Amino acid sequence: LTSVMGLPLAARFTQFVVTFLVSLHLLWRWIRTGGKALETKDRRLSRKLIYGYKHKHIMLPSGVNMHYVEAGDASAPLMVFVHGFPEFWYTWRHQIEHFKDRFRVVAIDQRGYGESSKPQNIADYSQTLLAKDIDDLIHGLGYSDAVVVGHDWGAFVAWAHAILFPQSVRRLVICNVPHPAAYGRLLKTNEKQRKMSWYVFFYQTPWIPEAMIAADDFELLEKLFWDKATGLRNKDNFTAEDMEAWKYTFSQPDCLRSAINYYRCKFQYPEDEKFERKCKPKTLILWGDGDKFLVKEGATLSAEQWCEDATLHFIPGASHWIQQDEPDVLNKHIDEFV
């Protein structure tokens, strides 16, 4: 496909159209509210993020100071949870509680998120560097391998880690994201997936995506997790207090910019050829088939063509946010797998 600056022309057109429409909307909200719609409210640290959790940091060889929450016996096998966008370590709260009796559970803030370091350059968010963070974390905690569980962008990173550093993956659990090679193929061949990925192209625009997400006191976060179309099916699993924890996290300086830089780096500094390889570690793919961002074919293609040993389970009706939406079902499948 003919491309401009790494994006196919159709995707670039989508980016420009969405950017124009969003800019008009933000201008209208700014005028209507006298500028208040684009102001960020000051928030205190949510008690949800404090009580009952053990917070730690580790300095990785890359210079990234990674924040993580730990639970369980420090001598038990390691289980690492890697969050996606727009999330952070707390998205794994149901899994932390469930697995802490048998594993040393570590739920991280990836670089750019929460209390972890936020490098300034877009190139600092390549899948290779993100995967190396996981490998460095595992060895930095004194282990040779771990059960690695990833969701959304965290699943992309978990795939990359398993491809580049298979020796440090005891078992791989993937939640609602296809293998990088499968996703690349779908963007080229599947019209439905291209339409569902409009925001990925829009995020290539500087500044405007960050303003859109933060506008009207992060109203977009409420829509993502509570809206009938994209939100959790089991709404009680994501409370108003949980939402405050999300808003506090993403209102911190540079967090939104760093998080969106994951998308910018993927297209501006492509590494597609590096991940055109099968995943060797034993893999479990869990997929909520009510996902409004990714087609089911991505799960099937990943399991059948891009893994040496994969098990796939669809969770009927579950949203993209399956670790929060259907934690009991998800935990049961992981229990059986590990």
Side-chain angles (χ1 to χ4, degrees):
L1 294 174
T2 303
S3 63
V4 177
M5 295 175 62
L7 278 183
L9 287 177
R12 186 63 69 181
F13 178 75
T14 299
Q15 176 196 352
F16 290 155
V17 170
V18 175
T19 298
F20 176 72
L21 294 175
V22 170
S23 298
L24 286 181
H25 174 75
L26 291 175
L27 178 61
W28 174 74
R29 291 298 301 147
W30 182 80
I31 294 172
R32 188 178 178 89
T33 63
K36 293 182 179 180
L38 303 186
E39 294 177 358
T40 301
K41 293 183 179 180
D42 289 329
R43 284 188 157 84
R44 293 184 178 181
L45 183 63
S46 170
R47 63 180 182 178
K48 280 273 190 176
L49 308 182
I50 302 174
Y51 299 117
Y53 294 106
K54 185 186 296 183
H55 294 262
K56 292 187 175 182
H57 286 81
I58 182 171
M59 182 63 71
L60 303 180
S62 62
V64 168
N65 188 13
M66 178 173 282
H67 168 253
Y68 64 95
V69 164
E70 180 180 287
D73 190 332
S75 64
L78 182 63
M79 180 178 279
V80 177
F81 289 95
V82 192
H83 66 83
F85 174 87
E87 300 183 280
F88 59 110
W89 70 264
Y90 183 67
T91 190
W92 300 109
R93 58 198 177 280
H94 304 292
Q95 287 69 44
I96 293 170
E97 185 64 27
H98 181 82
F99 290 103
K100 68 181 183 181
D101 292 336
R102 287 158 291 157
F103 290 89
R104 181 182 180 183
V105 175
V106 169
I108 69 169
D109 277 334
Q110 291 205 76
R111 64 165 69 191
Y113 284 83
E115 295 181 33
S116 292
S117 299
K118 299 173 178 62
Q120 293 296 308
N121 299 319
I122 291 175
D124 292 326
Y125 296 92
S126 72
Q127 285 179 262
T128 298
L129 292 176
L130 297 168
K132 187 65 164 60
D133 284 349
I134 307 304
D135 194 62
D136 287 340
L137 169 74
I138 291 169
H139 290 97
L141 293 175
Y143 290 80
S144 60
D145 61 22
V147 176
V148 180
V149 186
H151 170 257
D152 188 81
W153 249 108
F156 266 130
V157 173
W159 280 118
H161 172 236
I163 292 168
L164 298 179
F165 307 99
Q167 69 281 356
S168 65
V169 183
R170 177 177 295 191
R171 290 286 189 275
L172 177 65
V173 181
I174 295 293
C175 304
N176 274 76
V177 151
H179 184 287
Y183 182 67
R185 300 284 173 84
L186 288 168
L187 279 182
K188 293 177 181 178
T189 63
N190 190 297
E191 180 65 23
K192 183 178 180 181
Q193 183 59 73
R194 282 199 295 272
K195 289 180 178 178
M196 294 169 83
S197 299
W198 65 268
Y199 62 95
V200 175
F201 310 134
F202 166 57
Y203 286 168
Q204 304 310 308
T205 302
W207 308 306
I208 303 299
E210 289 92 325
M212 178 192 71
I213 295 172
D216 291 300
D217 194 30
F218 293 93
E219 182 181 31
L220 185 63
L221 291 181
E222 298 181 12
K223 291 181 178 179
L224 279 175
F225 293 104
W226 286 337
D227 189 77
K228 185 177 181 180
T230 61
L232 278 70
R233 173 173 59 177
N234 297 303
K235 307 296 184 187
D236 291 344
N237 289 354
F238 200 105
T239 66
E241 194 174 7
D242 293 332
M243 181 57 71
E244 276 300 303
W246 252 257
K247 290 183 178 183
Y248 170 82
T249 296
F250 285 96
S251 66
Q252 299 309 298
D254 291 333
C255 188
L256 272 177
R257 175 192 55 78
S258 299
I260 295 174
N261 277 346
Y262 279 55
Y263 293 93
R264 292 169 179 147
C265 188
K266 181 169 177 59
F267 287 97
Q268 295 181 30
Y269 301 93
E271 301 179 290
D272 296 346
E273 292 183 3
K274 185 179 290 189
F275 301 107
E276 291 274 340
R277 288 186 268 166
K278 283 192 174 183
C279 180
K280 292 181 179 180
K282 193 170 183 179
T283 303
L284 172 66
I285 301 174
L286 300 172
W287 199 280
D289 68 5
D291 195 318
K292 300 302 181 184
F293 305 101
L294 294 158
V295 296
K296 290 174 62 177
E297 289 86 343
T300 306
L301 188 62
S302 299
E304 294 179 353
Q305 296 189 23
W306 292 102
C307 291
E308 291 190 358
D309 185 355
T311 301
L312 168 62
H313 292 292
F314 287 106
I315 301 177
S319 70
H320 178 71
W321 322 103
I322 55 173
Q323 75 275 23
Q324 302 185 79
D325 204 356
E326 293 287 354
D328 293 340
V329 177
L330 188 90
N331 295 346
K332 180 176 181 294
H333 283 304
I334 298 176
D335 276 333
E336 294 171 352
F337 179 64
V338 302

